[in-house]
Amino acid sequence: MPFTRFISAKSLFPILLILLLFAHSAYGVVSFYVAPDGDDSWSGITSDKSIFASNGPFATLERARDAIRELKKSGDYPKRGGVTVFIRGGVYAVDRTFQLTAEDSGTPDSPVVYRAYQNETVRLVGGRIIDNLQPVGDREILKRLPSVAHGHVLTTRLAALENSLLGRSRSHGHGRPVSASGVELFCNGRPMVPARWPNDGWSTILKSTAGQKSHVLHTDTGRIGAWTANAGTTLHLFRPGEGKDCIEPIVSLSSEKRTITLAESPFEPRTGDLWFAAHILEELDSPGEWFIDSRNGAVYLWPYEAQSEITVSLLEKPVISINGSEHLTIRGIVVECTRGNGITIAGGARNQVAGCTIRNTGGTGVRLLDGYRNGVNGCDIINTGESGILIEGGNRKTLSPAGNFALNNEITRYARRIRMRRPAVQINGVGNLASRNRIHGAPHAALMLTGNENVVG
């Protein structure tokens, strides 16, 4: 009887895994794979499911990261060539930040790379794709909607997403530290607009009265009488002469007095400041506008196109966080649809975000915080709520340079939520570099610099 009849496919798997890893290590290269249809109980060493019961790609980046940690603990991490995690194309819903630490570092001769597989499109989405949208049929809602929107506005419930802040606003902008934005919607990759008045441009504050822990703003519009304020209704304020702006929740409205009341704000609204109101169902009158009812999680939206992918941002923190790592690269992937920043690199050395697309973030696209020779290279950064790239690093007391950099990037339509002091590239520190970046399509500064011996070219 042939010897092979006594060996099952399942029993061959451990032998195959050892042989494959040994072969990879012998040549100085180890590869793992992640795929939307993968399984974290599989080996992760092949790009597709094989005939062997447990051989195929992982399902999550976390499992691939842990596999690299296991290589290090076992002494099998390659001395040369490095480890690459190939990510198969598809949409990956990110419920929590993918975190990489010093434990996940590579070495100068053996770096760690997370990258898209071949030319496939990999999307890390900090939210959800909304489905089951239906035309609005509720008569009470139709009464509140402008007649021009009837037949165009779609609705569904998002309560199942169990997000406690869904549809709720928060103070944002001037005088406050950077924080996550509120929930946002995107249609076929384009940011949608919270239903607002006026649809374009600004109105003007006729008079501002400061009360006890409040500001009362007098307006010249009677439209306030038609509005129903909810927990998500906001006022966007702008003072052009001083380059200040912010977003504040509306506390109450008075149709008789034509006033809008805000809580106490460090912005301190003045007569003559500009404003527009947003997150108002009664103003949902144009393609691309949306509204979420904070009471029940119902979303109402008028898509830009009939056939649309609608996504909602939920993650409040970065999609990817690299903290204290060295010799680690993220390459060729799409990071999108988060209420916070796209990617952060804090500390460490020689880490890089390369050839990626970072888009539709509530905060900054990429933040480089301290560290040494960390960089963003050849990326497209699009539709960020705040800055494109923020670089910090270097010691101003000793004038020790950090060497952090932003090179060869295209940064466009940044600062779409907070317009002032949110540049495409901001550098704070010593000995950092921004060069050959194409910057366009935004309301304020392209570059802002503070510190010493920073270079812009």
Side-chain angles (χ1 to χ4, degrees):
M1 183 178 293
F3 174 70
T4 53
R5 292 187 61 183
F6 293 98
I7 304 177
S8 68
K10 188 173 183 179
S11 64
L12 270 174
F13 170 69
I15 301 172
L16 177 65
L17 177 60
I18 292 169
L19 289 174
L20 283 171
L21 287 175
F22 176 78
H24 282 313
S25 297
Y27 286 100
V29 177
V30 173
S31 298
F32 290 108
Y33 298 85
V34 176
D37 59 352
D39 190 313
D40 281 350
S41 68
W42 293 347
S43 68
I45 61 174
T46 61
S47 60
D48 295 289
K49 181 72 170 70
S50 77
I51 60 172
F52 297 101
S54 299
N55 201 21
F58 296 135
T60 66
L61 293 174
E62 285 81 2
R63 179 66 188 94
R65 175 199 63 196
D66 293 346
I68 299 172
R69 291 177 178 178
E70 291 163 10
L71 279 182
K72 293 179 178 180
K73 289 178 181 178
S74 66
D76 292 325
Y77 188 86
K79 294 182 179 180
R80 301 188 66 86
V83 177
T84 298
V85 176
F86 290 101
I87 311 169
R88 298 300 305 267
V91 176
Y92 298 79
V94 180
D95 295 320
R96 61 185 184 275
T97 301
F98 176 50
Q99 296 185 338
L100 297 161
T101 67
E103 185 179 4
D104 304 301
S105 298
T107 68
D109 294 325
S110 191
V112 173
V113 179
Y114 291 81
R115 65 174 304 162
Y117 179 77
Q118 297 183 358
N119 294 320
E120 296 180 2
T121 300
V122 175
R123 296 172 60 194
L124 305 187
V125 179
R128 290 288 185 274
I129 295 174
I130 300 176
D131 52 18
N132 299 321
L133 287 162
Q134 301 292 330
V136 173
D138 187 314
R139 292 183 180 180
E140 293 303 315
I141 297 298
L142 288 171
K143 288 180 183 178
R144 294 176 60 189
L145 283 171
S147 59
V148 69
H150 291 189
H152 298 288
V153 176
L154 306 177
T155 184
T156 191
R157 288 287 182 90
L158 299 181
L161 296 176
E162 298 181 355
N163 189 291
S164 62
L165 296 177
L166 200 63
R168 297 182 179 273
S169 62
R170 62 180 65 184
S171 299
H172 203 72
H174 173 73
R176 302 178 184 85
V178 174
S179 62
S181 71
V183 167
E184 296 187 278
L185 265 62
F186 303 90
C187 177
N188 291 338
R190 294 172 62 187
M192 301 184 74
V193 179
R196 55 165 283 179
W197 186 90
N199 279 339
D200 299 296
W202 305 81
S203 189
T204 303
I205 296 175
L206 299 181
K207 179 182 177 182
S208 176
T209 304
Q212 186 175 6
K213 296 185 177 181
S214 69
H215 293 280
V216 179
L217 312 181
H218 297 259
T219 76
D220 62 354
T221 177
R223 296 182 71 93
I224 291 175
W227 298 347
T228 303
N230 71 92
T233 308
T234 56
L235 203 71
H236 294 229
L237 294 159
F238 177 42
R239 188 173 300 150
E242 298 180 20
K244 297 178 180 179
D245 69 334
C246 71
I247 301 171
E248 301 288 0
I250 292 176
V251 174
S252 64
L253 301 165
S254 173
S255 57
E256 293 182 2
K257 298 179 180 179
R258 296 188 176 185
T259 59
I260 300 171
T261 300
L262 309 177
E264 189 175 27
S265 166
F267 184 86
E268 297 183 350
R270 300 175 186 170
T271 300
D273 286 347
L274 304 181
W275 65 273
F276 69 82
H279 297 280
I280 303 166
L281 180 62
E282 291 80 6
E283 296 295 345
L284 206 168
D285 59 2
S286 302
E289 289 194 323
W290 63 273
F291 170 83
I292 291 179
D293 191 329
S294 60
R295 298 169 302 174
N296 57 17
V299 60
Y300 303 92
L301 62 96
W302 186 342
Y304 290 114
E305 297 90 17
Q307 299 298 319
S308 300
E309 177 194 88
I310 306 295
T311 53
V312 55
S313 62
L314 296 175
L315 186 68
E316 290 189 300
K317 297 182 178 180
V319 175
I320 300 174
S321 172
I322 301 171
N323 193 337
S325 300
E326 297 186 1
H327 303 285
L328 191 151
T329 297
I330 307 294
R331 183 179 295 277
I333 66 176
V334 179
V335 171
E336 62 181 309
C337 195
T338 174
R339 295 163 63 181
N341 303 316
I343 300 174
T344 62
I345 301 177
R350 299 180 187 275
N351 302 295
Q352 191 170 171
V353 180
C356 293
T357 297
I358 298 97
R359 64 191 183 197
N360 298 336
T361 66
T364 295
V366 183
R367 289 172 63 94
L368 307 179
L369 307 176
D370 299 318
Y372 177 71
R373 293 197 178 182
N374 297 320
V376 186
N377 190 1
C379 293
D380 293 327
I381 300 177
I382 308 165
N383 288 327
T384 61
E386 300 199 14
S387 300
I389 300 171
L390 172 62
I391 300 175
E392 295 182 355
N395 189 313
R396 295 192 68 182
K397 291 183 178 180
T398 64
L399 294 184
S400 301
N404 296 328
F405 60 88
L407 298 174
N408 307 308
N409 303 290
E410 180 160 1
I411 308 169
T412 183
R413 299 194 295 277
Y414 56 93
R416 60 180 177 78
R417 296 186 64 256
I418 302 299
R419 293 167 168 77
M420 300 291 101
R421 305 182 188 279
R422 301 297 192 271
V425 179
Q426 181 168 348
I427 298 179
N428 304 322
V430 180
N432 301 292
L433 170 68
S435 180
R436 300 191 298 275
N437 298 294
R438 184 170 184 260
I439 298 168
H440 58 100
H444 198 222
L447 298 167
M448 293 180 69
L449 304 175
T450 60
N452 307 84
E453 299 178 359
N454 297 304
V455 176
V456 175

